[in-house]
Amino acid sequence: MTWLPPYRHLSETGELAERALALAALATPCRLCPHRCAVDRTAGQRGVCGLPAGAVVAAATAHFGEEPEISGTRGSGTVFFGGCNLRCVYCQNATISQGADMRRRAVTSADDLGAILLDLAGRYVHNINWVTPSHVVPWAVAGLDVAASRGLVLPLVYNSSAYDSIDVLRLLDGVVDVYLPDLRYADDESATEFSGVKGYVAASRAAVVEMARQVGTANVVGPDGTLRRGLIVRLLVLPNDISGVRESLAFLRDAIGTQVRIALMAQYFPAHKAPEEILLSRRTSVREYQRVLDVAERMGFENALVQEMEAQDFYRPDFDRGDEPFADAAQFHGRGTPDGPGEDPR
Ligand code: SF4
């Protein structure tokens, strides 16, 4: 029997449209993320994320630089949303996450977003991958409903900073197939200083537990080798132990178990304002990264994805390249070409 993502059933019954409306109600006043800015986005007001009501699509492309079970051989159908609820001083995507340009752009309608998702599917990508969706999720779900009603059947990946509201995540139960949270900090002081967020540790940990409750930690892979359902927790290793990966690993071990798939990321380089920050102005060293790998092994994480240190040179998006910001990552992996569609897998 042909596999269908659960959101298809929700779309057919009308529940996906209802979920989008319930999510939109959380934007007036806005409590879509733990910032709880309480601005009326429907009236055009803006909070920390910088956007009024509506999603802005900054780029949409087949992306080959994600985890192997996300990118596969034909790429992940990635939608980069403009704006962000974090304000990381080292953001690699600052031109789209924090740039004034995104604030001026017209929002993407549900019909247009639906067409974008279907266009990605037409490139034979393995999944739809929402990058930084936390602040635009009502309108992203409305676009998904449009695409689902027109035949979209790809798994949906939710790729966030983990600074997600539990109320929002509960409304995504059965909508999202694969969660890809980035557990960035283990102490609130660092999170506030370097990413402008309050209460990050409790919020992100609660979010990861809710994600695991929804999709489990026993990842399900389809015949093409990519994920149909599951969870991958990313841990970016920042220099000078700013991300506290050891503490985050201990939390994961105790809260959801060591069988969870983790991605230990070595790709940090000082982008955006990081060169002005003493503690963040250099790359992560081989020694710092190796220490994290040793800790993960000692704690019993056997399902860890390890990056090569060369990743620091390749995961550098350039959003001036329009819809193809990651040419280097494609070359790094030697998979596909960023400009051409994948081959028809049928
Ligand atoms: S989504 Fe934006 S406006 Fe809403 S609470 Fe979060 S940062 Fe504030």
Side-chain angles (χ1 to χ4, degrees), residues 7-242:
Y7 65 72
R8 278 289 298 257
H9 177 68
L10 296 180
S11 179
E12 283 161 18
T13 60
E15 188 175 336
L16 197 54
E18 285 173 19
R19 298 269 192 109
L21 289 175
L23 287 162
L26 294 176
T28 309
C30 194
R31 51 209 188 279
L32 278 176
C33 84
H35 277 301
R36 300 182 75 86
C37 297
V39 294
D40 184 349
R41 290 176 64 185
T42 309
Q45 294 175 355
R46 299 162 193 253
V48 174
C49 61
L51 291 189
V56 170
V57 174
T61 187
H63 182 21
F64 296 86
E66 304 282 41
E67 287 76 358
E69 62 265 51
I70 300 291
S71 286
T73 55
R74 304 192 301 274
S76 175
T78 306
V79 178
F80 294 91
F81 289 110
C84 185
N85 59 345
L86 265 61
R87 284 284 173 271
C88 303
V89 295
Y90 50 86
C91 183
Q92 298 175 14
N93 300 351
T95 52
I96 65 165
S97 66
Q98 302 175 29
D101 175 48
M102 287 300 138
R103 292 171 171 249
R104 286 192 292 268
R105 277 216 208 171
V107 299
T108 308
S109 70
D111 278 348
D112 287 348
L113 180 54
I116 289 169
L117 302 186
L118 291 169
D119 182 60
L120 286 170
R123 298 176 67 177
Y124 308 117
V125 295
H126 296 280
N127 44 55
I128 295 297
N129 180 356
W130 288 347
V131 175
T132 322
S134 311
H135 60 301
V136 297
V137 71
W139 308 285
V141 170
L144 177 71
D145 190 30
V146 170
S149 70
R150 295 182 193 158
L152 185 74
V153 291
L154 295 177
L156 178 67
V157 181
Y158 186 92
N159 181 341
S160 80
S161 65
Y163 197 56
D164 287 295
S165 147
I166 298 301
D167 291 339
V168 167
L169 290 177
R170 287 196 181 128
L171 286 165
L172 294 177
D173 195 354
V175 177
V176 171
D177 300 293
V178 178
Y179 281 106
L180 195 49
D182 188 345
L183 202 50
R184 194 71 64 81
Y185 299 101
D187 82 272
D188 283 331
E189 262 180 49
S190 297
T192 301
E193 182 173 358
F194 300 119
S195 291
V197 280
K198 60 195 178 195
Y200 178 83
V201 177
S204 62
R205 291 182 176 184
V208 168
V209 169
E210 171 61 18
M211 292 170 183
R213 185 195 69 74
Q214 290 182 22
V215 298
T217 54
N219 289 354
V220 178
V221 174
D224 64 359
T226 63
L227 285 187
R228 280 185 171 171
R229 179 177 172 85
L231 170 68
I232 303 175
V233 181
R234 288 176 165 174
L235 297 129
L236 176 64
V237 183
L238 294 171
N240 296 299
D241 198 26
I242 286 172

